[in-house]
């Protein structure tokens, strides 16, 4: 609970077009569809964001901190949006109901507004509420003219204060500068991130993935944490050194706009030696594939390497997989190095698991109670569809 004002990142995910949709369709089925979609949205934003409250067709969420990991923030927003689009498509295809509410599911879309400021949590009329001027600002940002001025139907509108706290370069990431003006608040400079464009890029992008059948070295470890937490420990440079003792430094190079992901490379220092990991596929929080390049006495060795996060009922199983090189010389070299690296990786896993457990406990201790989510009715039009699932 925020008993004193604390730096906070506010995020509102709002289902666009719901008011017009609701006016023309069957109310009972529309409520089921809304409950399903909002539940999926909140699930995708957790545990990085905590639900403050549901506001009709919007979810008001927040997380505390003076700074924001810009890469994780964009990964979370985009994954949530991609999951919404897939969920919207799957619900429409899976239901046999031909009522207007079900037929017009594709009319719905999703937008985000994000702001960084400060807030305090107080009990108001028996309920915990976030209070502060920045809470007002983020809600005002919902009323904007991004669609009219920028032509974006699905977007994340991030205030300049949020950008400043996140350490990313919005222009380099293709965001568009935008300013909203509100009574008694004044100008709120912001940047708009086009999620429809990112969805099209995501759908067209080729997958690079080392399957279990292709792997010459597979190491799997079950954990108690959700995929989002495991992803953070596996992909953030500073985290790597805490559980891989042979890594002395990690430098990110080639990251556009300061964002980790496709096109960037990890330069992992092992004392005076460097291992380069060129990111080839980046699918938060499902898997990441890189081309690992090692400079050995016998020459360069290049290996495809996938880390897959497999969610389960009680946590996430992490799979580390390496594919065999194509060149015969590299195959022999990979066989010689594989056993030694596999032994080193296995020896580091107890430390990783212990840190993940500690992080999960800390987050659960600080989280506090959240509003309950209502799911679809068991006899409603979505009764045959598994609820509240975001998949990559």
């Amino acid at each position: 609970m925020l008993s004193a004002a604390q730096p906070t990142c506010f995020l509102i995910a709002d289902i666009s077009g719901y008011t017009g949709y609701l006016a023309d369709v069957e109310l009972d089925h529309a409520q089921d569809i809304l409950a399903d979609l909002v539940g999926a949205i909140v699930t995708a934003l957790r545990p990085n964001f905590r639900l403050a409250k549901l506001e009709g067709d919007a979810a008001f969420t927040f997380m505390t901190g003076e700074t924001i990991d810009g890469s994780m923030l964009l990964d979370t927003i985009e994954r949530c949006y991609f999951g919404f689009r897939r969920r919207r498509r799957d619900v429409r295809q899976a239901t046999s109901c031909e009522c207007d509410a079900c037929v017009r599911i594709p009319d719905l879309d999703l937008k985000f507004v994000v702001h960084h400021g400060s807030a305090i949590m107080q009990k108001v009329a028996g309920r915990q509420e976030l209070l502060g001027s920045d809470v007002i600002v983020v809600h005002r940002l919902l009323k904007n003219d991004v669609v009219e001025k920028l032509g974006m139907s699905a977007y994340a509108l991030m205030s300049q204060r949020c950008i400043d706290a996140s350490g990313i370069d919005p222009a380099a990431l293709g965001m568009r500068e935008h300013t909203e003006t509100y009574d008694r608040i004044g100008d709120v400079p912001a940047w708009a991130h086009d999620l429809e464009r990112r969805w099209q890029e995501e759908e067209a992008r080729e997958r690079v993935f080392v399957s279990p059948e292709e792997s010459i070295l597979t190491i799997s470890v079950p954990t108690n944490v959700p995929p989002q937490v495991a992803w953070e420990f596996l992909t953030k440079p500073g985290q790597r050194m805490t559980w891989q003792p042979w890594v002395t430094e990690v430098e990110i190079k080639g990251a556009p706009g300061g964002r980790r992901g496709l096109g960037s490379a990890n330069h992992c220092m092992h004392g005076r030696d460097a291992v380069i990991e060129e990111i080839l596929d980046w699918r938060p929080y499902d898997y990441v594939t890189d081309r690992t390049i090692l400079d050995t006495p016998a020459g360069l060795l290049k290996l495809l390497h996938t880390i897959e996060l497999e969610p389960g009922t009680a946590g996430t199983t992490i799979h580390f997989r390496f594919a065999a090189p194509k060149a015969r010389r590299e195959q022999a070299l990979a066989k010689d190095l594989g056993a030694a690296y596999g032994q080193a990786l296995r020896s580091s896993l107890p430390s990783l698991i212990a840190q993940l457990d500690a992080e999960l406990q800390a987050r659960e201790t600080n989280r506090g109670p959240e509003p309950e989510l209502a799911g679809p009715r068991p006899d409603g039009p979505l009764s045959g569809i598994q609820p509240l699932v975001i998949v990559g």
Side-chain angles (χ1 to χ4, degrees):
M1 182 183 300
L2 309 182
S3 56
Q6 293 188 27
T8 305
C9 180
F10 311 94
L11 182 151
I12 301 177
D14 179 67
I15 297 180
S16 306
Y18 187 73
T19 300
Y21 168 86
L22 191 63
D24 300 325
V25 302
E26 295 81 357
L27 183 59
D28 56 345
H29 284 197
Q31 288 178 328
D32 264 16
I33 292 165
L34 177 65
D36 181 87
L37 292 176
V38 169
I41 290 165
V42 173
T43 301
L45 294 175
R46 289 171 172 162
N48 297 324
F49 283 88
R50 173 186 169 188
L51 179 63
K53 63 178 178 178
L54 297 176
E55 300 173 336
D57 55 354
F60 176 32
T61 69
F62 70 100
M63 66 176 176
T64 58
E66 292 185 3
T67 60
I68 309 165
D69 185 323
S71 293
M72 289 291 292
L73 175 61
L74 290 174
D75 284 347
T76 298
I77 290 172
E78 289 183 359
R79 177 177 168 80
C80 182
Y81 182 71
F82 299 159
F84 173 87
R85 289 292 294 262
R86 296 186 182 106
R87 183 62 177 168
R88 189 184 71 179
R89 178 185 61 200
D90 294 345
V91 167
R92 180 65 198 106
Q93 293 175 348
T95 180
S96 59
C97 179
E98 293 299 326
C99 74
D100 287 339
C102 293
V103 169
R104 291 183 54 187
I105 289 174
D107 292 353
L108 302 174
D109 215 330
L110 186 62
K111 66 183 180 185
F112 301 82
V113 294
V114 196
H115 178 57
H116 191 270
S118 62
I120 188 170
M121 181 79 79
Q122 287 189 351
K123 184 170 288 188
V124 178
R127 300 177 58 182
Q128 298 294 335
E129 297 278 354
L130 279 175
L131 301 175
S133 60
D134 290 303
V135 176
I136 297 173
V137 171
V138 73
H139 281 86
R140 290 285 187 91
L141 284 172
L142 284 171
K143 303 298 183 182
N144 60 64
D145 51 12
V146 170
V147 175
E148 294 78 10
K149 289 190 175 181
L150 302 182
M152 297 180 186
S153 58
Y155 56 85
L157 184 62
M158 305 171 67
S159 72
Q160 183 65 55
R161 286 174 61 183
C162 175
I163 294 293
D164 293 341
S166 66
I168 55 176
D169 182 345
L173 291 171
M175 297 185 191
R176 296 182 58 185
E177 198 168 8
H178 182 73
T179 299
E180 293 288 343
T181 303
Y182 303 103
D183 292 342
R184 306 187 70 176
I185 293 176
D187 290 346
V188 180
W191 293 82
H193 186 46
D194 190 343
L195 294 176
E196 175 64 31
R197 174 180 60 83
R198 289 291 298 117
W199 165 251
Q200 298 297 334
E201 293 172 351
E202 175 78 3
E203 288 290 277
R205 184 155 53 90
E206 182 180 357
R207 290 182 177 267
V208 183
F209 182 78
V210 179
S211 68
E213 295 75 23
E214 298 169 316
S215 179
I216 59 171
L217 173 63
T218 299
I219 297 175
S220 300
V221 56
T223 72
N224 298 318
V225 301
Q228 292 92 327
V229 177
W231 177 271
E232 181 177 337
F233 271 75
L234 295 166
T235 62
K236 288 184 68 173
Q239 295 287 9
R240 287 277 295 276
M241 293 176 288
T242 66
W243 63 274
Q244 288 187 339
W246 61 85
V247 178
T248 56
E249 183 183 358
V250 179
E251 183 181 359
I252 306 294
K253 294 188 177 181
R259 182 182 182 184
R260 300 185 299 275
L262 188 66
S264 65
N266 302 323
H267 287 241
C268 304
M269 301 305 300
H270 298 215
R272 297 179 62 181
D273 300 323
V275 175
I276 300 174
E277 301 168 347
E278 299 174 342
I279 306 300
L280 304 180
D281 201 356
W282 182 269
R283 311 273 177 168
Y285 305 106
D286 301 323
Y287 70 88
V288 56
T289 298
D290 67 74
R291 181 188 291 113
T292 299
I293 304 174
L294 301 92
D295 189 359
T296 75
L300 287 179
L301 174 62
K302 299 180 180 180
L303 294 169
L304 277 186
H305 169 223
T306 290
I307 303 176
E308 182 186 14
L309 305 181
E310 181 184 0
T313 56
T316 303
T317 299
I318 305 172
H319 303 285
F320 301 87
R321 302 194 191 100
F322 290 85
K326 294 182 178 180
R328 183 170 298 179
R329 179 194 64 82
E330 290 188 348
Q331 290 175 5
L333 187 56
K335 184 176 180 180
D336 292 338
L337 292 178
Y341 180 78
Q343 182 178 357
L345 181 57
R346 289 187 183 94
S347 69
S348 70
L349 294 181
S351 176
L352 172 62
I353 294 172
Q355 291 185 49
L356 289 173
D357 287 342
E359 178 67 17
L360 181 63
Q361 183 176 359
R363 294 192 185 197
E364 290 179 343
T365 300
N366 295 329
R367 176 170 294 276
E370 293 186 64
E372 294 186 3
L373 295 174
R377 293 175 292 113
D379 59 344
L382 310 183
S383 57
I385 309 173
Q386 183 178 352
L388 310 185
V389 175
I390 289 285
V391 294

